[in-house]
C-alpha cells in the first residue's frame, strides 16, 4: 500500500522467531538377540523359534505340493500319449479306407 508522496508500506504482521523443538531422530540399534535369534545366555528367542517352525512347515507343504503335482503331471502326460496314439490309429484307418 502506498500513501501519496510517502514511502511504500506493506501491510504485514511482525512475527517473532520461534525456536523449533528438538526433533532428533531416535536410532534403535538391534540387540544381539534380534540379530542372532539367541539371548546372551544362549536361549533362542520366541520369534526365532516361530520363524524356524514356519519355514519348516512351508518347506514340507511345498514338497508335498510338488510331489502331488508331479503325479498329476505324469497322469496327464500318459493321457495325452494315449490320445495321440488313438488319433494316429484313426488317421491310419481313414487313409486305408481312402486307398492312400
Amino acid at each position: 500500500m502506498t500513501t501519496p508522496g510517502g514511502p511504500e508500506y506493506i501491510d504485514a504482521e511482525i512475527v517473532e522467531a520461534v525456536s523449533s523443538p528438538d526433533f532428533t531422530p531416535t536410532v534403535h540399534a538391534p540387540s544381539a538377540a534380534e540379530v542372532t535369534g539367541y539371548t546372551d545366555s544362549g536361549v533362542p528367542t520366541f520369534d526365532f523359534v516361530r520363524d524356524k517352525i514356519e519355514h519348516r512347515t512351508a518347506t514340507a507343504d511345498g514338497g508335498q505340493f510338488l510331489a502331488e503335482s508331479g503325479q498329476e503331471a505324469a497322469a496327464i502326460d500318459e493321457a495325452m500319449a494315449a490320445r495321440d496314439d488313438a488319433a494316429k490309429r484313426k488317421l491310419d484307418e481313414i487313409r486305408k479306407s481312402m486307398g492312400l
Side-chain angles (χ1 to χ4, degrees):
M1 166 186 324
T2 58
T3 56
E8 184 175 316
Y9 293 101
I10 299 175
D11 187 18
E13 180 181 344
I14 298 176
V15 179
E16 296 291 325
V18 178
S19 63
S20 62
D22 186 21
F23 288 112
T24 308
T26 56
V27 178
H28 171 69
S31 66
E34 292 173 337
V35 174
T36 63
Y38 289 89
T39 63
D40 292 335
S41 60
V43 177
T45 63
F46 176 77
D47 290 336
F48 179 78
V49 173
R50 183 189 63 227
D51 290 343
K52 196 169 201 175
I53 291 170
E54 287 176 354
H55 178 73
R56 287 184 180 176
T57 304
T59 302
D61 288 344
Q64 183 178 359
F65 174 76
L66 289 175
E68 289 172 358
S69 66
Q71 293 171 354
E72 291 173 6
I76 291 171
D77 287 343
E78 290 174 10
M80 289 296 292
R83 187 177 125 196
D84 290 343
D85 288 341
K88 186 177 178 182
R89 285 193 304 271
K90 184 66 174 178
L91 184 60
D92 288 342
E93 182 183 315
I94 293 172
R95 284 184 179 152
K96 284 182 184 177
S97 70
M98 293 177 65
L100 298 174

